[in-house]
Amino acid sequence: MNITTILFILLSVMAIGSAVMMISSKSPVHSVLWLVVVFFAISGHYILLNAQFLAIVNIIVYAGAIMVLFLFVVMLMNLNAETEPIKNYRLQLVGIVAGGLLLLVIISAIMKMDVEHLVQTKDGDAGLIKVLGMNLFKNYVLPFEISSVLFLSAMIGAVVIGKKDENVN
Amino acid sequence: MDIKLYIILAITLFTIGMIGVLVRRNAIIIFMCVELMLNAVNLLLVAFSKMHALNPSLSPTVASDAQIFVFFIMVVAAAEVSVGLAIIVMMYRNVHTVDVNFLNRLKH
């Protein structure tokens, strides 16, 4: 068992355990913090796959910006109190059974797969900033520009939705 | 590292996110579970990209296409989060709750 396998198992256990803690913890603030741990574990997987650019972007955008936005909204609404209302245990059981069956079916289908494909870890040029940047600005420059328009519309949409409507009240 | 291990890991994370969407009532936690599902897909795309990087007939540029897709998924997720959280804040301001069971007015 080499170091790559050990790191893979460690990061996978960290990701799955934190994800389970995220959906099972009562307080929304704890859920947000567990999700940050999941994102760090996934960034560790990216580093293991030598996708350095995506690892850094994942930490900055997801664990940094998006989760801070979530935390900000949770704090703003004062949801820290136990606000989870009347529970319907039968519905929860049905949800868990449905998800578990999906997992079971897909995993058994994957295990039946005969072909063996290996994944390149620790080296390779595909994840480096140079290769990604050349590809992005040569072949995907139109989607890149369109995504800036998407960001502009998202910003305007957030401002318009979040504005207080004086006409109604 | 076998690709099967990465597929199983991504499917497990995706399923945990799906169970969270089905089980929890808090709109913010449901939203976070959607983010978790997006991240599971991102992980799988990067793993497939590195699988094709081992193919000697493909250049690193072709293998890095999947990572460009991951980049665009992150862009769309950031835009989605800003609008979605604005909607949740607006909802909370009007109804004073984020429980999705109380938000069934469109049903009636």
Side-chain angles (χ1 to χ4, degrees), chain A residues 12 14 41 74 76 85-86 95 103 106 115 136 139 145 160:
Chain A
S12 305
M14 188 174 147
V74 171
L76 205 68
I86 2 103
L103 186 67
I106 297 180
V115 282
L136 183 63
N139 304 327
E145 296 294 338
V160 168

Side-chain angles (χ1 to χ4, degrees), chain B residues 64-108:
Chain B
S64 72
D65 273 358
Q67 302 193 20
I68 302 283
F69 291 160
V70 171
F71 186 66
F72 283 120
I73 290 174
M74 284 179 180
V75 166
V76 172
E80 171 227 336
V81 163
S82 65
V83 176
L85 282 178
I87 290 174
I88 289 178
V89 169
M90 202 60 202
M91 217 159 70
Y92 183 73
R93 201 185 281 157
N94 289 331
V95 197
H96 290 288
T97 181
V98 285
D99 188 345
V100 290
N101 282 8
F102 289 120
L103 303 168
N104 52 6
R105 287 187 192 168
L106 283 179
K107 218 161 72 176
H108 302 301

Side-chain angles (χ1 to χ4, degrees), chain A residues 4-149:
Chain A
T4 311
T5 316
I6 294 172
L7 277 174
F8 178 84
I9 292 171
L10 207 70
L11 289 169
S12 305
V13 168
M14 188 174 147
I16 293 173
S18 313
V20 170
M21 285 303 289
M22 182 199 98
I23 63 168
S24 60
S25 61
K26 288 258 179 287
S27 153
V29 176
H30 290 171
S31 282
V32 174
L33 295 179
W34 280 117
L35 192 57
V36 171
V37 178
V38 177
F39 287 157
F40 271 99
I42 289 177
S43 288
H45 273 295
Y46 290 163
I47 292 173
L48 199 65
L49 288 165
N50 205 21
Q52 304 164 0
F53 175 68
L54 284 179
I56 297 300
V57 167
N58 198 46
I59 287 180
I60 292 174
V61 173
Y62 267 109
I66 292 181
M67 295 329 286
V68 166
L69 207 61
F70 270 104
L71 211 54
F72 192 70
V73 170
V74 171
M75 298 286 190
L76 205 68
M77 291 183 193
N78 199 15
L79 289 175
N80 209 353
E82 308 273 320
T83 42
E84 196 85 349
I86 2 103
K87 281 196 191 288
N88 188 349
Y89 284 108
R90 199 189 296 162
L91 216 62
Q92 291 194 347
L93 191 70
V94 167
I96 291 171
V97 167
L101 282 178
L102 177 74
L103 186 67
L104 200 71
V105 166
I106 297 180
I107 283 183
S108 57
I110 295 297
M111 292 310 246
K112 286 254 179 195
M113 193 169 69
D114 281 334
V115 282
E116 180 129 340
H117 285 295
L118 290 180
V119 178
Q120 186 183 36
T121 48
K122 293 185 295 186
D123 54 351
D125 289 340
L128 300 186
I129 290 183
K130 190 180 170 192
V131 176
L132 274 175
M134 290 304 266
N135 196 4
L136 183 63
F137 289 111
K138 269 184 180 165
N139 304 327
Y140 292 93
V141 70
L142 186 64
F144 181 75
E145 296 294 338
I146 290 174
S147 67
S148 67
V149 181

